[in-house]
Amino acid sequence: MFQSLTFRGGVHPPGSKEITANKEIEALHPRGDLVYPMSQHIGAPCVSLVKKGDKVLSGQKIADSEAFVSAPVLSSVSGTVKDIGMRMTIPGSFEPCVIVENDGLFKCGSALSPHEDFHLLEPKECVKIIREAGIVGMGGATFPTHVKLSPPPGKNIRWVIVNGVECEPFLNCDNRLMLERPEPILGGLEICLRLFPEAEGVIAIEANKPEAIERMQKENFGRELPPSGKSIRIMPHEVKYPQGAEKMLIYTVTGREIPPGTLPADVGCLVLNVQTLFHIWMAVIEGIPVMERIVSVTGDAVAKPGNFLVPLGISVRELIDAAGGFTEEPAKLLSGGPMMGLSMRSLDVPVTKGTSGILALTARSAPQLEESNCIRCARCVDACPMGLVPSSLDRAARLRDYVEFEAMGGMNCIECGSCTYRCPARRYLTQTCRNGKAGVTVARKRAEEVKKTAERTGETK
Amino acid sequence: MSRLLVVASSPHIRSEMDTARIMSWVLIALAPAGLAGVFFLGARSILVAAVCVISCVVVEAVWQKLSKQKITVSDLSAAVTGLLLAYNVPPTIPLWMVVCGSAFAMIIVKHFFGGLGQNIVNPALAGRVMMLICWPVAMTTWTLHGVSGPTPLALLKGVDGISGATALPSLMDVLIGNTGGCIGEISALALLLGGGVLFFKGIISWRIPVTYIATVAAMSAVFGRSGGPLFEIMTGGLMLGAIFMATDYTTSPMTPKGQFIFAFGCGLLTALIRTFGGYPEGVSYSILIMNTIVPIIDRMTAPRIFGEFREAKKYGSK
């Protein structure tokens, strides 16, 4: 078996994967209205294409944007547009949404057509289908996939890396997908490898998912070779958080480090989540756009944790109901895993493309701890996968010394949370680092404005 | 749901190890050395240790109360300082002196600089050095089994008038601690055991103790000390200093490279003081001197940021 490199730093939080690892994916039908936020991706928000009272079909595009870095939103049910207005979303803010009343008929209205023989498709056409299907990074980053698949000319993609690491504790949606639907993942990878004929395909899976590794290997055995002539490699990875972070993953697969301020394409890599590939396959082969996703509903406050295939736009409350409700009052409700997930303030928010998990944690497992003095134990330095000194960044950020913060490389922080996880003084290092990064961004903008004003006044003189 | 949900910045889970737990493990790891001290040097060691710990904790609490700060003695750091100070004094020391030493360590060395994590030098060591300067006789009167005599290193130095007539203790004696000295420093074996506990619990890394001890051994051989490297590393406060004092988080570098530099500096200074200095012992001074340059070591040995190379690395297309 191929032995991968290991990255510097990282932590070993308890996996807590056993709770839902063996729960088969269960399809969930929506009961209430479906809410589609206009911004379910990184990039320009979409604008609604429908009006109140319009009839929509499932798979119909209901919002889109002219911008390149954006992805359309599609209805996951058929029914009537009930309202277009502000609704609370997962981060707790109110955002423009399209609300659809479900008629329960699921009448299909996808504009995409199936392409059984994807070999015949022009690369441009293929990328267009992926865009029209609304595919974004389904691992949670939600970066539009068609943008990733269109690297600027001159970038030679040598690796297409499939991220099946799922290093966040508790989550199992990627694991279950690899176990239950391995063939569309490999099929999706083949489609991508057609786009980059020189690239080698690598599927990275953390070693704590031996069944998924075995399943993928079995499925991969004897497949037709991709254009590069190199067979797709299934690569088990060391169990260590944040192994699934793009920079760490590229390093452990290729030995290449992404220099600050550059993109994976600059080191010849493209990283896609397993669910993203699944959707690429669905869109190209079957003509089905992104209308649903797999969500792990778990945590120690959930009665019957499980993995659910849910239509996008469904209320989180329906997911919690499907998981049997709460056994006790949760202290925190998270979207995503416990290391990088967002804490929510309400159950009445819709599931979006980036919702990989809904976690309900009790105060015991997600305690709010009081900060104490830094004892300089250097656990944060050991834990930081980016080679930063979080305790010093913490101090600079608190003093609002953004010049020092930037000089110490604070902008490289990937906010993985490893430092905070290990800090014995219980300091909120990741949070202050976020503040520091925001501070630097504001300071940069301000400096630019000052420069512009100076130039303008210089001209008028 | 009746209660409001907590909204906070990620991560939402924390490791088990907190400051108080780390300090408890240090206290546990210090226990074998203390027991050896009580066994070889007498029951008064217990009294001295108790006075040290209690006075450190009380002084910290009173100081924080008077200066209107949150009282943080429950993090056990004051107890650790107290025990380390006790380990650095002879068991015959008058108790009022250790109370003064504790107060100096807590107020002047620790809290004047901002409390836990902010002090520049190790409070217990600074307390010990203050006592050594103020009460040199009381601090260097050593007894073993009720008979006063010199420490092994003093013998080696020939400080004592009778040194010519007294033979050096055997390696076995200095290993188990059957020799004169401070309460916690005599048994190399017990200290190594404690060091093992800290290492396996992930409290300290091997870098500082191993580098420190190895440097002293190598330098002793280079300087041609008559006791030999093994004798050198098992006597005096070296084991106690290398395992428990030089590894103090607050006053040692945070980066791996920095820790090597720091420990090498400690080892070099210790060997120099022992060989060429006026004292038979040099661990306390070496660590204190190196403590003061930790900020600069940290700054110079900052880890390499992921993806940043000294020379721009070109990832060619092939």
Side-chain angles (χ1 to χ4, degrees):
Chain A
M1 207 172 272
F2 195 89
Q3 189 58 50
S4 61
L5 287 163
T6 182
F7 62 93
R8 199 171 33 157
V11 292
H12 295 94
S16 310
K17 301 248 186 203
E18 65 289 347
I19 306 173
T20 53
N22 298 316
K23 299 277 162 68
E24 272 181 35
I25 300 169
E26 203 179 310
L28 211 61
H29 280 281
R31 283 179 283 123
D33 297 339
L34 292 115
V35 180
Y36 305 99
M38 293 293 95
S39 185
Q40 304 194 17
H41 49 262
I42 290 176
C46 291
V47 181
S48 166
L49 303 173
V50 290
K51 307 186 300 292
K52 193 174 166 179
D54 280 2
K55 292 271 178 214
V56 292
L57 300 170
S58 66
Q60 182 185 331
K61 193 153 82 171
I62 53 172
D64 204 348
S65 162
E66 300 266 292
F68 178 57
V69 184
S70 187
V73 177
L74 302 109
S75 178
S76 55
V77 294
S78 57
T80 320
V81 177
K82 204 176 171 185
D83 196 9
I84 291 170
M86 305 298 271
R87 290 290 184 279
M88 196 198 279
T89 56
I90 280 173
S93 54
F94 284 80
E95 278 167 43
C97 296
V98 171
I99 297 99
V100 173
E101 189 176 5
N102 182 12
D103 62 10
L105 301 173
F106 297 96
K107 259 189 273 173
C108 187
S110 170
L112 304 176
S113 47
H115 293 87
E116 288 283 337
D117 203 354
F118 66 87
H119 306 262
L120 304 176
L121 278 177
E122 281 289 311
K124 258 194 185 147
E125 258 179 277
C126 199
V127 173
K128 187 155 184 281
I129 294 172
I130 289 164
R131 192 208 112 86
E132 290 304 306
I135 300 176
V136 299
M138 306 295 278
T142 67
F143 188 77
T145 303
H146 68 273
V147 182
K148 256 191 196 178
L149 294 177
S150 330
K155 306 277 183 231
N156 188 358
I157 300 295
R158 289 190 52 203
W159 287 276
V160 175
I161 303 170
V162 182
N163 191 347
V165 173
E166 205 167 45
C167 59
E168 274 275 4
F170 287 98
L171 302 186
N172 268 307
C173 47
D174 293 351
N175 182 23
R176 286 314 305 180
L177 186 70
M178 287 188 282
L179 282 173
E180 295 180 34
R181 302 296 303 275
E183 67 294 339
I185 298 172
L186 284 162
L189 178 57
E190 273 175 15
I191 294 171
C192 293
L193 289 173
R194 292 250 147 223
L195 299 177
F196 304 102
E198 284 174 48
E200 182 191 357
V202 179
I203 300 179
I205 308 171
E206 225 176 27
N208 59 0
K209 296 180 252 302
E211 288 173 354
I213 294 170
E214 204 181 308
R215 190 82 184 81
M216 294 300 289
Q217 269 166 345
K218 216 165 146 192
E219 195 63 32
N220 188 35
F221 187 75
R223 275 182 97 90
E224 198 188 320
L225 289 183
S228 66
K230 290 182 196 163
S231 61
I232 292 169
R233 205 144 45 101
I234 315 288
M235 207 164 148
H237 274 64
E238 188 193 353
V239 183
K240 184 162 83 168
Y241 179 87
Q243 177 65 69
E246 196 169 62
K247 290 188 180 194
M248 276 72 244
L249 186 59
I250 288 173
Y251 178 70
T252 54
V253 171
T254 68
R256 293 181 169 194
E257 295 185 18
I258 304 181
T262 62
L263 294 168
D266 293 308
V267 297
C269 289
L270 185 72
V271 182
L272 297 161
N273 173 266
V274 287
Q275 280 197 66
T276 311
L277 285 173
F278 175 81
H279 283 292
I280 289 175
W281 187 83
M282 291 291 277
V284 176
I285 308 292
E286 310 260 349
I288 298 171
V290 180
M291 297 191 289
E292 50 193 14
R293 68 156 297 136
I294 306 162
V295 182
S296 290
V297 182
T298 173
D300 59 348
V302 173
K304 283 189 285 175
N307 302 299
F308 299 96
L309 180 67
V310 303
L312 295 176
I314 191 175
S315 163
V316 168
R317 189 178 289 279
E318 286 186 43
L319 262 65
I320 293 290
D321 288 345
F326 299 125
T327 48
E328 60 181 294
E329 288 276 311
K332 271 187 187 172
L333 196 64
L334 309 176
S335 158
M339 293 299 287
M340 287 190 80
L342 275 174
S343 57
M344 305 189 278
R345 61 190 172 109
S346 167
L347 282 174
D348 299 306
V349 290
V351 168
T352 57
K353 291 172 185 172
T355 313
S356 48
I358 297 292
L359 253 66
L361 300 176
T362 62
R364 287 187 307 282
S365 50
Q368 280 308 105
L369 301 167
E370 206 180 321
E371 284 188 321
S372 57
N373 279 9
C374 166
I375 56 171
R376 288 178 39 89
C377 68
R379 279 177 174 75
C380 55
V381 183
D382 287 344
C384 183
M386 291 303 293
L388 305 172
V389 182
S391 60
S392 302
L393 294 174
D394 174 63
R395 191 174 48 217
R398 280 175 210 249
L399 293 170
R400 295 167 200 236
D401 186 349
Y402 299 126
V403 176
E404 175 74 2
F405 184 88
E406 205 179 347
M408 288 188 296
M411 296 309 274
N412 290 292
C413 172
I414 56 168
E415 304 177 15
C416 67
S418 299
C419 50
T420 315
Y421 173 77
R422 290 220 45 204
C423 181
R426 305 314 192 190
R427 297 179 74 75
Y428 289 81
L429 300 167
T430 314
Q431 188 173 353
T432 50
C433 251
R434 281 193 187 109
N435 295 347
K437 284 167 76 177
V440 172
T441 311
V442 169
R444 276 181 187 167
K445 246 183 216 159
R446 206 171 290 160
E448 214 161 277
E449 268 163 35
V450 167
K451 206 173 143 198
K452 264 188 204 157
T453 319
E455 273 168 18
R456 224 181 303 134
T457 48
E459 275 168 15
T460 50
K461 260 177 202 169
Chain B
M1 275 186 303
S2 55
R3 203 172 55 186
L4 287 172
L5 290 164
V6 177
V7 175
S9 187
S10 66
H12 307 281
I13 51 172
R14 301 296 192 99
S15 64
E16 303 248 288
M17 197 61 91
D18 63 7
T19 305
R21 209 175 280 223
I22 289 169
M23 296 297 170
S24 326
W25 276 109
V26 176
L27 290 174
I28 290 166
L30 280 167
L35 293 175
V38 173
F39 182 76
F40 290 111
L41 304 176
R44 196 168 188 276
S45 307
I46 303 175
L47 185 66
V48 174
V51 169
C52 265
V53 171
I54 294 168
S55 50
C56 273
V57 172
V58 170
V59 167
E60 173 154 89
V62 169
W63 175 262
Q64 289 181 322
K65 182 89 190 155
L66 291 178
S67 57
K68 297 191 176 67
Q69 296 176 64
K70 202 178 148 231
I71 295 175
T72 58
V73 291
S74 61
D75 66 22
L76 298 177
S77 63
V80 169
T81 302
L83 198 59
L84 282 175
L85 182 62
Y87 280 17
N88 276 293
V89 297
T92 49
I93 189 111
L95 295 178
W96 66 269
M97 289 183 189
V98 296
V99 174
C100 292
S102 301
F104 177 83
M106 293 320 290
I107 297 177
I108 294 174
V109 186
K110 186 175 176 185
H111 282 284
F112 274 13
F113 287 88
L116 182 64
Q118 301 291 317
N119 45 291
I120 292 165
V121 295
N122 186 312
L125 274 184
R128 171 204 150 98
V129 166
M130 181 279 270
M131 290 168 75
L132 199 59
I133 293 166
C134 294
W135 308 290
V137 177
M139 282 293 284
T140 52
T141 304
W142 318 104
T143 55
L144 182 66
H145 308 308
V147 185
S148 67
T151 60
L153 280 177
L155 273 177
L156 207 56
K157 193 109 199 170
V159 170
D160 222 283
I162 53 162
S163 62
T166 321
L168 284 177
S170 71
L171 272 180
M172 196 57 189
D173 279 344
V174 294
L175 176 67
I176 61 166
N178 191 15
T179 157
C182 295
I183 294 170
E185 72 180 18
I186 52 169
S187 173
L189 191 65
L191 289 162
L192 282 171
L193 188 69
V197 170
L198 293 186
F199 177 75
F200 284 108
K201 288 308 291 181
I203 311 281
I204 61 170
S205 86
W206 58 273
R207 289 185 285 261
I208 290 177
V210 171
T211 312
Y212 191 169
I213 293 168
T215 307
V216 170
M219 288 298 157
S220 312
V222 170
F223 295 151
R225 300 265 289 161
S226 57
L230 258 186
F231 184 81
E232 204 70 33
I233 61 171
M234 289 196 291
T235 51
L238 182 62
M239 286 287 171
L240 179 63
I243 298 169
F244 290 98
M245 315 286 252
T247 56
D248 171 23
Y249 291 149
T250 303
T251 56
S252 66
M254 296 179 80
T255 60
K257 214 192 287 172
Q259 290 171 355
F260 285 122
I261 295 169
F262 172 81
F264 174 76
C266 287
L268 185 65
L269 285 173
T270 303
L272 283 173
I273 294 172
R274 282 185 179 182
T275 314
F276 304 108
Y279 293 96
E281 176 55 289
V283 172
S284 305
Y285 294 107
S286 312
I287 299 176
L288 286 179
I289 291 167
M290 291 308 290
N291 280 167
T292 58
I293 62 165
V294 163
I296 201 162
I297 295 178
D298 262 343
R299 202 151 251 277
M300 286 168 57
T301 59
R304 181 179 68 82
I305 294 171
F306 185 89
E308 272 188 1
F309 300 97
R310 200 171 295 161
E311 288 158 45
K313 211 168 188 170
K314 286 247 161 52
Y315 291 121
S317 51
K318 280 280 142 77

